[in-house]
Amino acid sequence: MSQGPIEESMRILPTGYWKGSGMAILLDAMAAFLTAGSPTNEIDKIQQGSCTGASQVFMVFDPEHFGGAEFSENMAQSVAEYVKTSAPAEGIKEVYYPGEMEMKNRANFMNSGIPVDDGVWTEVVQLAERRVL
């Protein structure tokens, strides 16, 4: 059985193939431009760890300026429902839309607490005890 392009290159193809890669390149360039920072091809050149110096931009949009809150909610809901109708990959039980797992995890953590490794928690407590106010 021959391998496909993902197995041969060991690269995951972006969502949307050429449209997805085009959007990824555009967003990378825009983040570097807006922050006067480094694009992807420059971030590891400073040799301070993986992705040190990556440019990041966070955008927030007021739905009132783009069709209103009701339109935005309905559009987002329709996209989420569409994603949920996708066939899951082999061995996967469910398809999740962006942020869905995080919402489920948050609800679970709010209800049951956040799981923490005992050794890590001991270190956190020790650091907190050393803190001088």
Side-chain angles (χ1 to χ4, degrees), residues 53-127:
S55 299
Q56 297 183 6
V57 174
F58 299 90
M59 294 183 274
V60 178
F61 300 97
D62 183 348
E64 293 300 321
H65 295 286
F66 299 97
E70 184 178 351
F71 168 80
S72 299
E73 288 293 326
N74 289 338
M75 183 272 302
Q77 185 64 35
S78 73
V79 170
E81 289 170 2
Y82 175 74
V83 168
K84 298 298 281 181
T85 65
S86 300
E90 186 177 324
I92 304 297
K93 294 180 181 178
E94 187 175 353
V95 175
Y96 297 98
Y97 56 81
E100 183 179 9
M101 287 298 299
E102 290 78 6
M103 286 188 332
K104 286 182 178 187
N105 286 337
R106 180 184 169 99
N108 182 38
F109 296 156
M110 294 294 286
N111 193 32
S112 304
I114 300 172
V116 179
D117 178 90
D118 289 337
V120 171
W121 184 247
T122 300
E123 288 183 48
V124 169
V125 170
Q126 289 172 351
L127 287 171

